[in-house]
Amino acid sequence: MTSPHLLRLLRRVGVLSFVLCVVGTLPGRAATSSPPMPARPNVLVIMSDDLRTELGCYGVKDIRTPNIDQLAARSVRFERAYVQFPLCNPVRSSLLTGRYPTATGVLDNLSFLLSRHPDWLTLPMYFKQHGYTTLRTGKIFHGGFDDTDAWTQGGEPRPLGNTDRKGSSQDPTVSDSIIVLEGNGENHGDYKNATRGDRDAEGAARRETAVFLWMRFSKPHSPPQAPKKFYDLYPTEKIPLPADFAAKPTVPPGFPDRSVPPRNSDLFIGREASEKEAREVKRAYWASVSFLDEQVGRVLAALDEFGLRDNTIVVFWGDHGYHLGEKGKWSKHGSLWEVGLHVPFMISIPGSASNGKVCSRVVECLGLYPTLVELCGLPPAPGQQGASVVPLLRDPSAPWDRPALSVSYQQRILGRSVRTDRWHYADWDYGRAGAMLIDSIDDPGETKNLATDPARAAVIAEMKKTTSNDCHPWKPGHDRSTPSSSRGYRGLLRAEIIGECLRIKGFARRVSGQFVPRHRPAGAEHALLQEFADSRLADIERPVRRGLQHLARNGVMDLRSE
Ligand SMILES: [Ca+2]
């Protein structure tokens, strides 16, 4: 329960005033020798890639995550938070715009959000427009995709093109392997990101403007990587396997074929998993999680060192769930199961009496955008489809009846999921490719399909009614910019790359009457990007012409010289 004093205060002066009241009265070491503390709280979002809720704070005793657990003790931890798509690019495009994946039209790792909706304000752009210094580290949207202009400092120069096409993450010899890092992992990107986060914290302590920092750590995304000391925490023979472990993806009896994609990605690609190998890979995943945890600890220590903890809202979020052998499946793509959609999610507000409490309401991570906007006192952002969870930050046991809606999209088949307090319903191709209904209280391992049980007819009717809301009615072809064939798909991807190159070379992009300011990189980034654009355009003179024709035919984009 929230203290009566806090509730009265929140109701009287609003959440932002509450935050400012709390942070403004607390001393910070940096504040004594730095400019006055910003009028708004800083925001730090820590995003982990492919992280399950297998953490100490989520009740898993044998995994070592002391730093994340400590953050949970200073946060409202959402016990049942669900993402809206089980894949990197679609879920981030959704969460960073506050729209469902069916609204963004981004349903795979190759589609670029801002080529479809250049006038939408992403979360960092919205904060930048409202006076925040916006910083990033790591892959925020997806490899090769970024809202470049949304960042005051863009971190590393953004690669152009689509890094997925270059394939390291899906190369079995790279992705599907176990890697032991030297030392403390100093040469790994996550270690370097934490070091940069340390520097960003030091810089934030000197700024007069509030800072919005989004940090992405790649682990435990495949390949599993960690220094030896983290592997040593976990004897292989003690690593548990799920009750429904199988050597290869296996549809449980009574469930639709679509519910378990037949081929794994990321891990055990095109090969079967023995129990011994499965334990070894899961052990490596756990080691990666502990490595991630250490980096999170370094960033949080920097917040303390520079006196920022008491003036910074901290969010910790995993971008989607992950299978480690459940249903014989590994990784996430195409999974509408509990383990595919359920994620760690926690929000720490300095001084809040709710910190350390657990919220058991079913929530959508989609609500992060309006939540942060509300907490920081910014005007409501346009187009938001998610619900702010601020009422649950005030009182984690407050009434909340909104379900969590999610989708998947594979082989041009849309899967739809509804998660309520008790029920988990999903169907594929609007029910034509089957449906499942699971009682999540009686059957947490999701082994019994009740979708054809006459005794559950009323529940199924209610679930179907819920799937017909605004989240789910998308069909291929409704979004004209979503390619309907792989050939058209590659054409659009190429056109997007070309568009970016031309933009860098001094053209502005116009889509649906909206102009996007041309990219104005500076210094070394400018030279690098100019060189890249020159080389790309020289290499693909003919595809440029074809790409422009493709754009013109589809009305996706016009290009004109400034
Ligand atoms: Ca991911």
Side-chain angles (χ1 to χ4, degrees):
M1 292 291 291
T2 304
S3 74
H5 171 72
L6 173 60
L7 278 175
R8 282 198 302 274
L9 188 62
L10 286 170
R11 287 174 183 146
R12 194 167 67 242
V13 300
V15 175
L16 171 65
S17 300
F18 157 67
V19 172
L20 297 181
C21 173
V22 171
V23 303
T25 57
L26 295 171
R29 274 178 287 156
T32 58
S33 58
S34 301
M37 199 167 271
R40 298 186 189 278
N42 301 308
V43 175
L44 167 63
V45 180
I46 301 174
M47 175 175 68
S48 171
D49 207 334
D50 292 13
L51 180 66
R52 290 155 63 103
T53 52
E54 243 169 11
L55 303 167
C57 55
Y58 278 84
V60 178
K61 289 185 299 183
D62 295 332
I63 197 164
R64 292 285 300 277
T65 52
N67 295 292
I68 299 172
D69 298 347
Q70 189 181 64
L71 177 62
R74 302 173 71 152
S75 306
V76 172
R77 179 175 66 79
F78 291 91
E79 201 166 41
R80 292 196 290 172
Y82 295 89
V83 292
Q84 278 50 72
F85 201 107
L87 192 66
C88 300
N89 188 40
V91 72
R92 298 170 192 204
S93 297
S94 165
L95 183 134
L96 285 157
T97 59
R99 272 90 160 186
Y100 286 108
T102 41
T104 67
V106 174
L107 301 172
D108 54 54
N109 272 347
L110 300 171
S111 302
F112 183 28
L113 168 76
L114 293 177
S115 72
R116 288 154 177 74
H117 311 289
D119 52 333
W120 284 8
L121 295 172
T122 63
L123 180 55
M125 178 61 94
Y126 197 70
F127 271 73
K128 185 183 179 189
Q129 287 190 347
H130 288 85
Y132 272 74
T133 296
T134 53
L135 308 171
R136 69 162 208 167
T137 65
K139 179 183 85 173
I140 307 304
F141 286 82
H142 196 58
F145 299 148
D146 194 13
D147 187 1
T148 306
D149 302 325
W151 306 102
T152 310
Q153 292 175 13
E156 298 174 13
R158 172 161 64 102
L160 295 176
N162 191 308
T163 53
D164 275 5
R165 285 289 183 185
K166 294 170 185 171
S168 62
S169 66
Q170 282 304 303
D171 179 349
T173 63
V174 176
S175 174
D176 190 2
S177 58
I178 294 172
I179 297 172
V180 180
L181 300 173
E182 293 183 3
N184 289 314
E186 289 88 345
N187 291 324
H188 191 271
D190 282 358
Y191 190 98
K192 294 174 182 175
N193 277 350
T195 303
R196 179 178 293 154
D198 190 320
R199 287 204 301 270
D200 286 342
E202 184 177 13
R206 300 178 194 281
R207 290 180 192 274
E208 292 186 36
T209 56
V211 169
F212 177 99
L213 170 58
W214 192 291
M215 303 192 69
R216 174 263 187 178
F217 290 107
S218 69
K219 290 301 112 181
H221 193 293
S222 67
Q225 292 168 294
K228 181 177 180 300
K229 65 179 180 181
F230 294 117
Y231 287 89
D232 291 343
L233 294 173
Y234 307 115
T236 305
E237 65 276 11
K238 292 190 177 178
I239 296 294
L241 293 180
D244 54 358
F245 170 77
K248 59 183 180 181
T250 303
V251 178
F255 283 84
D257 289 346
R258 283 271 167 195
S259 64
V260 182
R263 180 177 164 82
N264 284 320
S265 55
D266 294 338
L267 299 169
F268 291 104
I269 302 170
R271 65 190 182 105
E272 296 192 357
S274 69
E275 288 196 11
K276 180 174 180 294
E277 282 180 300
R279 284 197 169 86
E280 288 169 349
V281 169
K282 187 170 178 180
R283 172 194 184 221
Y285 180 95
W286 279 22
S288 295
V289 172
S290 290
F291 174 57
L292 157 76
D293 178 80
E294 186 165 88
Q295 309 320 311
V296 171
R298 293 175 61 211
V299 173
L300 297 177
L303 284 188
D304 290 332
E305 180 181 353
F306 297 107
L308 293 165
R309 184 76 79 117
D310 298 326
N311 188 33
T312 302
I313 295 166
V314 181
V315 177
F316 183 82
W317 174 60
D319 68 343
H320 48 72
Y322 208 77
H323 286 247
L324 289 176
E326 288 87 358
K327 315 285 182 285
K329 177 176 170 58
W330 295 81
S331 190
K332 68 279 185 175
H333 198 6
S335 171
L336 291 179
W337 297 93
E338 173 79 4
V339 287
L341 301 171
H342 186 208
V343 295
F345 186 45
M346 57 189 84
I347 299 176
S348 175
I349 299 174
S352 170
S354 296
N355 288 342
K357 294 182 178 176
V358 176
C359 177
S360 60
R361 302 291 184 234
V362 168
V363 297
E364 298 176 316
C365 295
L366 186 65
L368 180 60
Y369 191 144
T371 297
L372 289 177
V373 164
E374 185 176 354
L375 287 175
C376 295
L378 310 185
Q384 294 300 297
Q385 295 180 313
S388 166
V389 297
V390 165
L392 296 172
L393 295 173
R394 293 172 177 157
D395 176 4
S397 60
W400 187 270
D401 60 1
R402 188 183 165 112
L405 307 176
S406 313
V407 293
S408 66
Y409 186 65
Q410 286 197 307
Q411 298 171 310
R412 304 185 65 195
I413 297 293
L414 188 73
R416 310 180 298 179
S417 167
V418 180
R419 187 68 161 77
T420 67
D421 197 45
R422 177 170 182 180
W423 302 103
H424 181 195
Y425 173 85
D427 63 24
W428 288 266
D429 197 18
Y430 301 88
R432 292 187 288 268
M436 67 183 192
L437 177 71
I438 295 157
D439 185 332
S440 62
I441 295 175
D442 291 347
D443 182 20
E446 305 200 311
T447 61
K448 188 176 180 184
N449 188 4
L450 304 175
T452 57
D453 183 351
R456 303 300 180 191
V459 175
I460 293 166
E462 181 65 26
M463 293 293 108
K464 285 183 175 175
K465 186 177 169 188
T466 305
T467 62
S468 66
N469 74 7
D470 287 345
C471 158
H472 282 138
W474 183 89
K475 289 182 180 178
H478 283 194
D479 176 357
R480 65 181 179 180
S481 65
T482 300
S484 58
S485 71
S486 59
R487 186 175 176 185
Y489 199 84
R490 286 193 295 273
L492 182 60
L493 174 64
R494 186 164 57 225
E496 287 173 349
I497 297 170
I498 294 165
E500 279 299 308
C501 291
L502 291 172
R503 188 171 167 224
I504 289 163
K505 294 300 294 178
F507 289 79
R509 299 172 60 163
R510 188 178 67 179
V511 184
S512 305
Q514 297 289 326
F515 282 89
V516 180
R518 70 176 182 176
H519 184 51
R520 298 179 191 280
E525 186 191 10
H526 179 265
L528 183 67
L529 290 174
Q530 288 283 336
E531 183 182 345
F532 180 88
D534 283 341
S535 67
R536 290 294 294 181
L537 293 175
D539 286 346
I540 51 178
E541 185 181 353
R542 288 181 61 196
V544 164
R545 284 201 294 273
R546 288 204 300 272
L548 292 175
Q549 289 165 0
H550 178 93
L551 294 172
R553 275 200 307 274
N554 290 282
V556 174
M557 179 192 314
D558 297 329
L559 296 165
R560 73 175 191 180
S561 178
E562 281 187 329

